[in-house]
Amino acid sequence: MTTTYSRITGLGFYVPDNIVTNDDLTQYMETSDAWIQERTGIKQRRFFTYGKETNSSMATAAARMALDRAGLDAKAVDLIVYATLSPDYYFPGSAFLMQRELGLEGTAVIDIRQQCSGFVYALSIADQFIKSGMYKTALVIGSEIQSTFLDKTTEGRGIAVIFGDGAGAAVVQATTDPEHRILSTHLHADGRYAEELYLKDPGSSRPDHFITADTATSGGSRVVMNGNTVFKHAVVRFMEVINEGLNANGYTHEDLDLLVPHQANIRISGYVQQQMNLPDEKVFNNIQKYGNTTAASIPIALTEAFEQGKIKSGDLVCLAAFGSGFTWASALIKW
């Protein structure tokens, strides 16, 4: 019997036109361009414009680009896997809204919340469904609007300066070619650290059934992050999960042509790069331009890397992420 694999055949992304520089943030908080760049590597990010963009509209634009590059009509899609921590509605998920925009009524959709690892988790889900033979073409999405829940004051600057908005997409299709495919994906989580990086409200486990003025202003609607704990775990888990993918397929870090890490913080990427002894040309970063776009981070970076000619046929590419949950994941791809 012929073995079925899955392969990325198209990539796309969308970011809002609204560029917010580090200097722009000084209007709201005590900070500086130097302070932000030293701690994060970020120079600017994109914030959505209300009435112009939504989480699902950005995803739709990214999906259309990916489909066009794959040479496909949207009707070819038989599965959508959509990763976001910032859906348009509390329910239903944004995958339904994007499905509607693409005119794919009846097509299966899956919404997932794996935060910064969301795209890799979504890619893994699509990979499993395609290899099983159930579906032939999947749209994998990472999309976020995070600017609306950031505390843009001096008190919240440690988090507010990091995050941005945007969307990325990949078309994943069935293939019988063993030389150009997703080799493996590796998924992990550890809920013991859930409150080290989380957003409490809106949540259902409250004394009252309805969100009131009191609960809305109680502080639960503010993102909480223990930066030191996140950093310490991230640098360890990144390397673990990258090596897991390489070892599973008989490779070493020297075989890698490109590492595309989740764009969390340039210091995390730099530490991992140094520890793995990877030269600059083998690690792709664009956090400087977009900030941390969570589930959208990897597909945006992957698309830009491809557009810039940094990914060629036959290259060994690794995607790796770490985020709230804690969750971490990798995907090893023979392009």
Side-chain angles (χ1 to χ4, degrees):
M1 293 180 62
T2 302
T3 302
T4 299
Y5 307 104
S6 61
R7 180 181 182 182
I8 295 175
T9 59
L11 294 165
F13 80 104
Y14 177 92
V15 289
D17 292 331
N18 181 24
I19 298 173
V20 179
T21 67
N22 292 342
D23 288 333
D24 291 333
L25 292 179
T26 63
Q27 301 174 47
Y28 313 105
M29 63 188 75
E30 293 180 12
T31 190
S32 68
D33 177 63
W35 188 90
I36 296 170
Q37 286 203 52
E38 178 185 350
R39 286 160 178 79
T40 68
I42 299 167
K43 298 179 181 180
Q44 62 185 43
R45 73 285 294 145
R46 306 294 180 102
F47 285 175
F48 92 120
T49 299
Y50 179 74
K52 178 182 178 183
E53 289 133 345
T54 64
N55 186 305
S56 55
S57 77
M58 295 194 305
T60 302
R64 292 191 190 281
M65 179 186 290
L67 286 164
D68 182 64
R69 290 175 170 177
L72 294 176
D73 184 88
K75 296 296 183 183
V77 175
D78 40 25
L79 173 67
I80 295 169
V81 190
Y82 196 120
T84 185
L85 58 69
S86 54
D88 294 300
Y89 303 143
Y90 189 66
F91 67 85
S94 292
F96 294 86
L97 309 182
M98 190 190 80
Q99 180 218 51
R100 179 173 64 189
E101 289 299 309
L102 292 175
L104 295 177
E105 294 79 6
T107 299
V109 302
I110 301 172
D111 279 271
I112 65 168
R113 290 193 185 187
Q114 263 64 35
Q115 298 68 252
C116 297
S117 297
F119 181 80
V120 181
Y121 264 75
L123 186 66
S124 180
I125 292 168
D127 181 42
Q128 310 314 315
F129 272 115
I130 288 174
K131 288 192 296 190
S132 77
M134 186 169 182
Y135 298 115
K136 296 185 182 304
T137 301
L139 262 178
V140 180
I141 304 294
S143 184
E144 305 287 6
I145 288 179
Q146 303 174 114
S147 55
T148 51
F149 57 70
L150 298 175
D151 177 4
K152 302 181 187 73
T153 68
T154 300
E155 183 180 359
R157 67 181 177 182
I159 295 172
V161 302
I162 297 172
F163 294 95
D165 305 337
V171 175
V172 183
Q173 292 187 276
T175 181
T176 57
D177 182 357
E179 300 299 322
H180 305 280
R181 62 183 177 92
I182 297 172
L183 296 175
S184 63
T185 57
H186 307 271
L187 313 178
H188 299 280
D190 191 341
R192 292 177 297 170
Y193 302 96
E195 286 76 28
E196 299 297 329
L197 176 51
Y198 82 123
L199 180 64
K200 184 175 181 180
D201 290 319
S204 61
S205 302
R206 303 290 179 270
D208 298 313
H209 291 292
F210 301 101
I211 296 173
T212 65
D214 289 337
T215 58
T217 58
S218 65
S221 56
R222 182 174 295 164
V223 179
V224 174
M225 179 173 70
N226 184 334
N228 288 335
T229 300
V230 171
F231 183 90
K232 289 176 182 177
H233 282 262
V235 294
V236 172
R237 298 306 191 185
F238 258 110
M239 288 187 290
E240 282 183 356
V241 82
I242 292 167
N243 285 324
E244 182 180 3
L246 292 169
N247 293 338
N249 294 279
Y251 292 109
T252 71
H253 67 274
E254 294 177 347
D255 298 310
L256 266 181
D257 292 296
L258 191 67
L259 170 65
V260 183
H262 161 57
Q263 304 294 296
N265 186 310
I266 201 68
R267 292 190 302 157
I268 294 175
S269 297
Y271 182 87
V272 173
Q273 177 181 349
Q274 181 183 39
Q275 292 298 305
M276 300 193 74
N277 197 29
L278 295 172
D280 289 344
E281 62 270 18
K282 288 194 173 186
V283 182
F284 188 84
N285 290 299
N286 63 359
I287 192 173
Q288 301 90 338
K289 296 192 296 180
Y290 304 121
N292 181 342
T293 55
T294 304
S297 156
I298 285 179
I300 291 174
L302 188 62
T303 303
E304 285 206 328
F306 185 79
E307 290 174 344
Q308 295 173 22
K310 297 182 183 294
I311 301 175
K312 303 176 294 297
S313 178
D315 279 355
L316 186 66
V317 179
C318 183
L319 316 179
F322 175 89
S324 167
F326 286 151
T327 172
W328 59 102
S330 68
L332 196 66
I333 304 166
K334 192 70 171 177
W335 209 264

